[in-house]
Amino acid sequence: MKPSLDVLILAAGRGTRMNSELPKVLHLLQGVALIQYVIESVLELGVNRIVIVVGYGESEVRKALSKYGDRIEFVRQEKQLGTGHAVNSAAKVFKEKFGDVLILAGDAPFLGKKILSELILQHRKSGSQASILSARVVEPKGYGRIVRNLKDGVLAIREELDASSDERGISEINSGAYVFNKSHLFRVLGKIKATNKKGEYYLTDTIEFLIREGAVVSAFCLVGEEEVMGINSRKDLVKANLALYQKKAVELLESGVTVMSPENTFIASDVTVGQDSIIYPFTYIERNVKIGKGCRIGPFTHIREGSHIEDKAQIGSFVEVVRSRVGKGTNIKHLSYVGDARVGAKANLGAGTITANYDGSKKHKTIIGDGAFIGSNTVLIAPVKVGKNAKTGAGSVILADNNIPNGQVFAGVPAKKIGNRK
Ligand code: UD1
Ligand code: CA
């Protein structure tokens, strides 16, 4: 049987450096709250309990995470007096003080399952009472430094503000992820003092106390600059976002998709794009989108969540697609809005085609059949159905429920039948 592991995620801080009313951990990275990345990584680990320390904006944080139901628990840190204080405020929920606890910061989204499993493994293999996940970075500024002795043993974690100039030169930093033996941790937490520059109770100060007590403390350098990143400011957030987009562009290039200008293309990490598709610059593709093979997307295209663009379709300039399916070989090449629609194969949506999907309170669906030809500037007021091979004249307004049967041609405002398509 695997020894039980509890997880504690620190998310009570306001995030002063964000300069925001929104709690820091709820700031979005590619549309997903920072803390959700942390929770998702941990859920994959399959642990015993996941406890989140909340404080600033508690109700907002709880609400944002309500979808996790009873898979997570919350504990309140009344005043945000530092990371050590935050952990100590969870002491009451860990009544059984045997076993280990994995402690994570809610603002470090890139420490994935693989890294965390490796940290846990190393912790157990080494027989340590405390294990720190560390990283060697070119730019250590802002992070706690791992101070080691001549034999490479860990001595302390020194926060930037309290570090000597020599210590600031250390390139090994604290990721903010640790595995602690609970009984050791909670014993020394009572001893730390807030006698540092920030006047906070630092979790990092427990390390020196543990070492003084003769505990085995290790730091495992298992991550790189990108994965270790803690998001403290909006600059950090933007940097992380851009790093994800760059990574995605490279991944697509390697998988057989031409991304014409990676620096100017913004594709969310989970998007799939088929081989030989070409993505032109200034394309913005949100999460939960699927694009087939041989498509041409962009320039200046916005594809939003829940869209599926099938093989060989073309979505061109100033087109927005959301929650829609666009069939094989269909063209929507200019200035269109396609929302909540199902467009068949080999259809053509002329410049300026608009699905008016929202009536002010509800969204409605538009269905466009295979081979349909939608004339320029047609407005389709949903719910509405355009039959297979049907056609609309330029400037038509198709009223709601005024469905166009297969092969018929409608035109005018409001549109009426004017003939059959050859
Ligand atoms: C912390 C570490 C630093 C490490 C860095 C990694 C300390 C003292 N420093 O610094 O060594 O290199 O993370 O990213 O731990 N929080 C609370 N309650 C509080 C204070 C903070 O829950 O009273 C939460 C925050 O919401 C945040 C996490 O703890 O999610 C980390 O706090 P933050 O202020 O971001 O710490 P750093 O200065 O980044
Ligand atoms: Ca941080």
Side-chain angles (χ1 to χ4, degrees), residues 63-91:
K63 200 171 148 215
L65 302 180
S66 59
K67 71 165 189 173
Y68 294 105
D70 59 8
R71 289 184 290 170
I72 59 176
E73 304 165 52
F74 295 93
V75 62
R76 187 196 309 217
Q77 182 192 17
E78 292 291 345
K79 278 190 183 159
Q80 285 70 64
L81 301 178
T83 49
H85 183 263
V87 174
N88 216 5
S89 55

PDB file of all heavy atoms in Angstrom, residues 63-91:
ATOM      1  N   LYS A  63     -16.359  29.866  -4.833  1.00  0.00           N
ATOM      2  CA  LYS A  63     -17.339  29.797  -5.922  1.00  0.00           C
ATOM      3  C   LYS A  63     -16.663  29.334  -7.225  1.00  0.00           C
ATOM      4  O   LYS A  63     -17.181  28.461  -7.927  1.00  0.00           O
ATOM      5  CB  LYS A  63     -17.959  31.179  -6.105  1.00  0.00           C
ATOM      6  CG  LYS A  63     -19.269  31.123  -6.832  1.00  0.00           C
ATOM      7  CD  LYS A  63     -19.978  32.470  -6.826  1.00  0.00           C
ATOM      8  CE  LYS A  63     -20.771  32.619  -8.105  1.00  0.00           C
ATOM      9  NZ  LYS A  63     -20.825  33.974  -8.611  1.00  0.00           N
ATOM     10  N   ALA A  64     -15.512  29.920  -7.487  1.00  0.00           N
ATOM     11  CA  ALA A  64     -14.807  29.570  -8.734  1.00  0.00           C
ATOM     12  C   ALA A  64     -14.413  28.097  -8.763  1.00  0.00           C
ATOM     13  O   ALA A  64     -14.262  27.512  -9.831  1.00  0.00           O
ATOM     14  CB  ALA A  64     -13.573  30.454  -8.894  1.00  0.00           C
ATOM     15  N   LEU A  65     -14.261  27.505  -7.568  1.00  0.00           N
ATOM     16  CA  LEU A  65     -13.805  26.112  -7.512  1.00  0.00           C
ATOM     17  C   LEU A  65     -14.937  25.146  -7.159  1.00  0.00           C
ATOM     18  O   LEU A  65     -14.686  23.967  -6.891  1.00  0.00           O
ATOM     19  CB  LEU A  65     -12.661  25.984  -6.502  1.00  0.00           C
ATOM     20  CG  LEU A  65     -11.444  26.876  -6.772  1.00  0.00           C
ATOM     21  CD1 LEU A  65     -10.386  26.662  -5.702  1.00  0.00           C
ATOM     22  CD2 LEU A  65     -10.845  26.612  -8.152  1.00  0.00           C
ATOM     23  N   SER A  66     -16.177  25.650  -7.197  1.00  0.00           N
ATOM     24  CA  SER A  66     -17.297  24.819  -6.739  1.00  0.00           C
ATOM     25  C   SER A  66     -17.457  23.558  -7.582  1.00  0.00           C
ATOM     26  O   SER A  66     -17.966  22.544  -7.106  1.00  0.00           O
ATOM     27  CB  SER A  66     -18.585  25.636  -6.718  1.00  0.00           C
ATOM     28  OG  SER A  66     -18.842  26.123  -8.013  1.00  0.00           O
ATOM     29  N   LYS A  67     -16.998  23.613  -8.823  1.00  0.00           N
ATOM     30  CA  LYS A  67     -17.174  22.434  -9.686  1.00  0.00           C
ATOM     31  C   LYS A  67     -16.400  21.209  -9.185  1.00  0.00           C
ATOM     32  O   LYS A  67     -16.693  20.089  -9.598  1.00  0.00           O
ATOM     33  CB  LYS A  67     -16.777  22.769 -11.122  1.00  0.00           C
ATOM     34  CG  LYS A  67     -15.298  22.964 -11.342  1.00  0.00           C
ATOM     35  CD  LYS A  67     -14.999  22.917 -12.833  1.00  0.00           C
ATOM     36  CE  LYS A  67     -13.518  22.877 -13.091  1.00  0.00           C
ATOM     37  NZ  LYS A  67     -13.149  22.678 -14.465  1.00  0.00           N
ATOM     38  N   TYR A  68     -15.423  21.441  -8.330  1.00  0.00           N
ATOM     39  CA  TYR A  68     -14.659  20.292  -7.814  1.00  0.00           C
ATOM     40  C   TYR A  68     -15.389  19.570  -6.682  1.00  0.00           C
ATOM     41  O   TYR A  68     -14.955  18.506  -6.251  1.00  0.00           O
ATOM     42  CB  TYR A  68     -13.257  20.726  -7.359  1.00  0.00           C
ATOM     43  CG  TYR A  68     -12.407  21.193  -8.513  1.00  0.00           C
ATOM     44  CD1 TYR A  68     -12.145  22.544  -8.705  1.00  0.00           C
ATOM     45  CD2 TYR A  68     -11.903  20.290  -9.436  1.00  0.00           C
ATOM     46  CE1 TYR A  68     -11.389  22.982  -9.791  1.00  0.00           C
ATOM     47  CE2 TYR A  68     -11.159  20.708 -10.516  1.00  0.00           C
ATOM     48  CZ  TYR A  68     -10.901  22.062 -10.690  1.00  0.00           C
ATOM     49  OH  TYR A  68     -10.167  22.480 -11.763  1.00  0.00           O
ATOM     50  N   GLY A  69     -16.485  20.186  -6.209  1.00  0.00           N
ATOM     51  CA  GLY A  69     -17.320  19.528  -5.204  1.00  0.00           C
ATOM     52  C   GLY A  69     -16.522  19.057  -4.003  1.00  0.00           C
ATOM     53  O   GLY A  69     -15.671  19.786  -3.486  1.00  0.00           O
ATOM     54  N   ASP A  70     -16.801  17.809  -3.586  1.00  0.00           N
ATOM     55  CA  ASP A  70     -16.143  17.335  -2.366  1.00  0.00           C
ATOM     56  C   ASP A  70     -14.759  16.731  -2.626  1.00  0.00           C
ATOM     57  O   ASP A  70     -14.180  16.102  -1.764  1.00  0.00           O
ATOM     58  CB  ASP A  70     -17.037  16.343  -1.609  1.00  0.00           C
ATOM     59  CG  ASP A  70     -17.379  15.144  -2.471  1.00  0.00           C
ATOM     60  OD1 ASP A  70     -16.799  15.021  -3.575  1.00  0.00           O
ATOM     61  OD2 ASP A  70     -18.229  14.330  -2.053  1.00  0.00           O
ATOM     62  N   ARG A  71     -14.258  16.963  -3.827  1.00  0.00           N
ATOM     63  CA  ARG A  71     -12.883  16.505  -4.070  1.00  0.00           C
ATOM     64  C   ARG A  71     -11.868  17.436  -3.419  1.00  0.00           C
ATOM     65  O   ARG A  71     -10.712  17.100  -3.255  1.00  0.00           O
ATOM     66  CB  ARG A  71     -12.611  16.396  -5.575  1.00  0.00           C
ATOM     67  CG  ARG A  71     -13.356  15.215  -6.198  1.00  0.00           C
ATOM     68  CD  ARG A  71     -13.011  15.057  -7.643  1.00  0.00           C
ATOM     69  NE  ARG A  71     -13.558  16.144  -8.450  1.00  0.00           N
ATOM     70  CZ  ARG A  71     -13.250  16.367  -9.724  1.00  0.00           C
ATOM     71  NH1 ARG A  71     -12.380  15.602 -10.327  1.00  0.00           N
ATOM     72  NH2 ARG A  71     -13.807  17.366 -10.381  1.00  0.00           N
ATOM     73  N   ILE A  72     -12.322  18.654  -3.078  1.00  0.00           N
ATOM     74  CA  ILE A  72     -11.419  19.575  -2.383  1.00  0.00           C
ATOM     75  C   ILE A  72     -12.083  20.101  -1.110  1.00  0.00           C
ATOM     76  O   ILE A  72     -13.303  20.109  -0.995  1.00  0.00           O
ATOM     77  CB  ILE A  72     -10.990  20.767  -3.290  1.00  0.00           C
ATOM     78  CG1 ILE A  72     -12.220  21.553  -3.770  1.00  0.00           C
ATOM     79  CG2 ILE A  72     -10.198  20.285  -4.482  1.00  0.00           C
ATOM     80  CD1 ILE A  72     -11.871  22.789  -4.574  1.00  0.00           C
ATOM     81  N   GLU A  73     -11.238  20.524  -0.171  1.00  0.00           N
ATOM     82  CA  GLU A  73     -11.740  21.108   1.078  1.00  0.00           C
ATOM     83  C   GLU A  73     -11.086  22.475   1.254  1.00  0.00           C
ATOM     84  O   GLU A  73     -10.032  22.738   0.695  1.00  0.00           O
ATOM     85  CB  GLU A  73     -11.313  20.247   2.278  1.00  0.00           C
ATOM     86  CG  GLU A  73     -11.725  18.792   2.209  1.00  0.00           C
ATOM     87  CD  GLU A  73     -10.949  17.953   3.234  1.00  0.00           C
ATOM     88  OE1 GLU A  73     -10.938  18.310   4.422  1.00  0.00           O
ATOM     89  OE2 GLU A  73     -10.341  16.956   2.809  1.00  0.00           O
ATOM     90  N   PHE A  74     -11.736  23.294   2.072  1.00  0.00           N
ATOM     91  CA  PHE A  74     -11.177  24.626   2.306  1.00  0.00           C
ATOM     92  C   PHE A  74     -10.900  24.841   3.788  1.00  0.00           C
ATOM     93  O   PHE A  74     -11.608  24.310   4.633  1.00  0.00           O
ATOM     94  CB  PHE A  74     -12.163  25.703   1.843  1.00  0.00           C
ATOM     95  CG  PHE A  74     -12.404  25.686   0.365  1.00  0.00           C
ATOM     96  CD1 PHE A  74     -13.470  24.958  -0.170  1.00  0.00           C
ATOM     97  CD2 PHE A  74     -11.567  26.376  -0.506  1.00  0.00           C
ATOM     98  CE1 PHE A  74     -13.700  24.929  -1.544  1.00  0.00           C
ATOM     99  CE2 PHE A  74     -11.796  26.356  -1.878  1.00  0.00           C
ATOM    100  CZ  PHE A  74     -12.860  25.626  -2.396  1.00  0.00           C
ATOM    101  N   VAL A  75      -9.883  25.627   4.052  1.00  0.00           N
ATOM    102  CA  VAL A  75      -9.648  26.052   5.419  1.00  0.00           C
ATOM    103  C   VAL A  75      -9.317  27.551   5.358  1.00  0.00           C
ATOM    104  O   VAL A  75      -8.708  28.020   4.402  1.00  0.00           O
ATOM    105  CB  VAL A  75      -8.523  25.231   6.098  1.00  0.00           C
ATOM    106  CG1 VAL A  75      -7.185  25.408   5.396  1.00  0.00           C
ATOM    107  CG2 VAL A  75      -8.392  25.587   7.557  1.00  0.00           C
ATOM    108  N   ARG A  76      -9.770  28.279   6.365  1.00  0.00           N
ATOM    109  CA  ARG A  76      -9.606  29.726   6.305  1.00  0.00           C
ATOM    110  C   ARG A  76      -8.380  30.223   7.079  1.00  0.00           C
ATOM    111  O   ARG A  76      -8.133  29.814   8.198  1.00  0.00           O
ATOM    112  CB  ARG A  76     -10.849  30.400   6.858  1.00  0.00           C
ATOM    113  CG  ARG A  76     -10.809  31.920   6.666  1.00  0.00           C
ATOM    114  CD  ARG A  76     -11.812  32.581   7.533  1.00  0.00           C
ATOM    115  NE  ARG A  76     -13.113  31.946   7.356  1.00  0.00           N
ATOM    116  CZ  ARG A  76     -14.252  32.602   7.361  1.00  0.00           C
ATOM    117  NH1 ARG A  76     -14.254  33.895   7.519  1.00  0.00           N
ATOM    118  NH2 ARG A  76     -15.395  31.958   7.248  1.00  0.00           N
ATOM    119  N   GLN A  77      -7.641  31.113   6.427  1.00  0.00           N
ATOM    120  CA  GLN A  77      -6.576  31.844   7.122  1.00  0.00           C
ATOM    121  C   GLN A  77      -7.131  33.252   7.350  1.00  0.00           C
ATOM    122  O   GLN A  77      -7.319  34.003   6.399  1.00  0.00           O
ATOM    123  CB  GLN A  77      -5.305  31.905   6.260  1.00  0.00           C
ATOM    124  CG  GLN A  77      -4.145  32.602   6.935  1.00  0.00           C
ATOM    125  CD  GLN A  77      -3.000  32.922   5.960  1.00  0.00           C
ATOM    126  OE1 GLN A  77      -3.163  32.910   4.747  1.00  0.00           O
ATOM    127  NE2 GLN A  77      -1.835  33.220   6.512  1.00  0.00           N
ATOM    128  N   GLU A  78      -7.441  33.558   8.602  1.00  0.00           N
ATOM    129  CA  GLU A  78      -8.147  34.811   8.894  1.00  0.00           C
ATOM    130  C   GLU A  78      -7.393  36.039   8.401  1.00  0.00           C
ATOM    131  O   GLU A  78      -7.929  36.888   7.710  1.00  0.00           O
ATOM    132  CB  GLU A  78      -8.405  34.949  10.400  1.00  0.00           C
ATOM    133  CG  GLU A  78      -9.402  33.939  10.952  1.00  0.00           C
ATOM    134  CD  GLU A  78     -10.837  34.173  10.472  1.00  0.00           C
ATOM    135  OE1 GLU A  78     -11.110  35.265   9.941  1.00  0.00           O
ATOM    136  OE2 GLU A  78     -11.669  33.250  10.630  1.00  0.00           O
ATOM    137  N   LYS A  79      -6.104  36.105   8.792  1.00  0.00           N
ATOM    138  CA  LYS A  79      -5.285  37.236   8.346  1.00  0.00           C
ATOM    139  C   LYS A  79      -4.119  36.682   7.559  1.00  0.00           C
ATOM    140  O   LYS A  79      -3.567  35.645   7.927  1.00  0.00           O
ATOM    141  CB  LYS A  79      -4.739  38.002   9.555  1.00  0.00           C
ATOM    142  CG  LYS A  79      -5.722  38.965  10.142  1.00  0.00           C
ATOM    143  CD  LYS A  79      -5.010  39.829  11.161  1.00  0.00           C
ATOM    144  CE  LYS A  79      -5.989  40.771  11.850  1.00  0.00           C
ATOM    145  NZ  LYS A  79      -5.443  41.238  13.138  1.00  0.00           N
ATOM    146  N   GLN A  80      -3.748  37.368   6.522  1.00  0.00           N
ATOM    147  CA  GLN A  80      -2.674  36.849   5.682  1.00  0.00           C
ATOM    148  C   GLN A  80      -1.316  37.282   6.232  1.00  0.00           C
ATOM    149  O   GLN A  80      -0.778  38.308   5.864  1.00  0.00           O
ATOM    150  CB  GLN A  80      -2.868  37.306   4.227  1.00  0.00           C
ATOM    151  CG  GLN A  80      -3.979  36.533   3.526  1.00  0.00           C
ATOM    152  CD  GLN A  80      -5.375  36.853   4.039  1.00  0.00           C
ATOM    153  OE1 GLN A  80      -5.824  37.973   3.906  1.00  0.00           O
ATOM    154  NE2 GLN A  80      -6.044  35.877   4.636  1.00  0.00           N
ATOM    155  N   LEU A  81      -0.817  36.449   7.135  1.00  0.00           N
ATOM    156  CA  LEU A  81       0.418  36.815   7.832  1.00  0.00           C
ATOM    157  C   LEU A  81       1.631  36.059   7.309  1.00  0.00           C
ATOM    158  O   LEU A  81       2.659  36.017   7.958  1.00  0.00           O
ATOM    159  CB  LEU A  81       0.252  36.566   9.335  1.00  0.00           C
ATOM    160  CG  LEU A  81      -0.893  37.336  10.006  1.00  0.00           C
ATOM    161  CD1 LEU A  81      -0.995  36.980  11.490  1.00  0.00           C
ATOM    162  CD2 LEU A  81      -0.706  38.843   9.842  1.00  0.00           C
ATOM    163  N   GLY A  82       1.496  35.450   6.154  1.00  0.00           N
ATOM    164  CA  GLY A  82       2.637  34.777   5.547  1.00  0.00           C
ATOM    165  C   GLY A  82       2.368  33.305   5.266  1.00  0.00           C
ATOM    166  O   GLY A  82       1.396  32.725   5.773  1.00  0.00           O
ATOM    167  N   THR A  83       3.250  32.709   4.459  1.00  0.00           N
ATOM    168  CA  THR A  83       3.031  31.322   4.020  1.00  0.00           C
ATOM    169  C   THR A  83       3.118  30.325   5.177  1.00  0.00           C
ATOM    170  O   THR A  83       2.397  29.327   5.193  1.00  0.00           O
ATOM    171  CB  THR A  83       4.029  30.928   2.916  1.00  0.00           C
ATOM    172  OG1 THR A  83       5.352  31.301   3.336  1.00  0.00           O
ATOM    173  CG2 THR A  83       3.729  31.623   1.604  1.00  0.00           C
ATOM    174  N   GLY A  84       3.976  30.621   6.162  1.00  0.00           N
ATOM    175  CA  GLY A  84       4.086  29.731   7.329  1.00  0.00           C
ATOM    176  C   GLY A  84       2.814  29.772   8.151  1.00  0.00           C
ATOM    177  O   GLY A  84       2.278  28.743   8.581  1.00  0.00           O
ATOM    178  N   HIS A  85       2.290  30.962   8.313  1.00  0.00           N
ATOM    179  CA  HIS A  85       1.038  31.174   9.033  1.00  0.00           C
ATOM    180  C   HIS A  85      -0.119  30.499   8.291  1.00  0.00           C
ATOM    181  O   HIS A  85      -1.009  29.892   8.898  1.00  0.00           O
ATOM    182  CB  HIS A  85       0.818  32.683   9.168  1.00  0.00           C
ATOM    183  CG  HIS A  85      -0.401  33.048   9.959  1.00  0.00           C
ATOM    184  ND1 HIS A  85      -1.593  33.363   9.352  1.00  0.00           N
ATOM    185  CD2 HIS A  85      -0.621  33.142  11.288  1.00  0.00           C
ATOM    186  CE1 HIS A  85      -2.495  33.637  10.274  1.00  0.00           C
ATOM    187  NE2 HIS A  85      -1.928  33.517  11.461  1.00  0.00           N
ATOM    188  N   ALA A  86      -0.076  30.573   6.969  1.00  0.00           N
ATOM    189  CA  ALA A  86      -1.118  29.938   6.148  1.00  0.00           C
ATOM    190  C   ALA A  86      -1.130  28.431   6.388  1.00  0.00           C
ATOM    191  O   ALA A  86      -2.194  27.831   6.581  1.00  0.00           O
ATOM    192  CB  ALA A  86      -0.881  30.235   4.665  1.00  0.00           C
ATOM    193  N   VAL A  87       0.043  27.832   6.396  1.00  0.00           N
ATOM    194  CA  VAL A  87       0.118  26.380   6.618  1.00  0.00           C
ATOM    195  C   VAL A  87      -0.358  26.043   8.031  1.00  0.00           C
ATOM    196  O   VAL A  87      -1.118  25.098   8.233  1.00  0.00           O
ATOM    197  CB  VAL A  87       1.560  25.858   6.379  1.00  0.00           C
ATOM    198  CG1 VAL A  87       1.664  24.385   6.753  1.00  0.00           C
ATOM    199  CG2 VAL A  87       1.962  26.061   4.920  1.00  0.00           C
ATOM    200  N   ASN A  88       0.053  26.858   8.967  1.00  0.00           N
ATOM    201  CA  ASN A  88      -0.338  26.595  10.357  1.00  0.00           C
ATOM    202  C   ASN A  88      -1.847  26.688  10.565  1.00  0.00           C
ATOM    203  O   ASN A  88      -2.410  25.990  11.406  1.00  0.00           O
ATOM    204  CB  ASN A  88       0.394  27.550  11.298  1.00  0.00           C
ATOM    205  CG  ASN A  88       0.748  26.858  12.611  1.00  0.00           C
ATOM    206  OD1 ASN A  88       0.526  25.648  12.761  1.00  0.00           O
ATOM    207  ND2 ASN A  88       1.283  27.617  13.553  1.00  0.00           N
ATOM    208  N   SER A  89      -2.492  27.528   9.768  1.00  0.00           N
ATOM    209  CA  SER A  89      -3.941  27.646   9.928  1.00  0.00           C
ATOM    210  C   SER A  89      -4.652  26.384   9.440  1.00  0.00           C
ATOM    211  O   SER A  89      -5.849  26.212   9.672  1.00  0.00           O
ATOM    212  CB  SER A  89      -4.485  28.905   9.249  1.00  0.00           C
ATOM    213  OG  SER A  89      -4.100  28.921   7.909  1.00  0.00           O
ATOM    214  N   ALA A  90      -3.911  25.519   8.759  1.00  0.00           N
ATOM    215  CA  ALA A  90      -4.497  24.243   8.328  1.00  0.00           C
ATOM    216  C   ALA A  90      -4.195  23.115   9.310  1.00  0.00           C
ATOM    217  O   ALA A  90      -4.628  21.978   9.100  1.00  0.00           O
ATOM    218  CB  ALA A  90      -3.965  23.877   6.945  1.00  0.00           C
ATOM    219  N   ALA A  91      -3.473  23.450  10.384  1.00  0.00           N
ATOM    220  CA  ALA A  91      -3.076  22.393  11.343  1.00  0.00           C
ATOM    221  C   ALA A  91      -4.296  21.643  11.856  1.00  0.00           C
ATOM    222  O   ALA A  91      -4.283  20.425  12.000  1.00  0.00           O
ATOM    223  CB  ALA A  91      -2.298  23.009  12.502  1.00  0.00           C
TER     224      ALA A  91
END
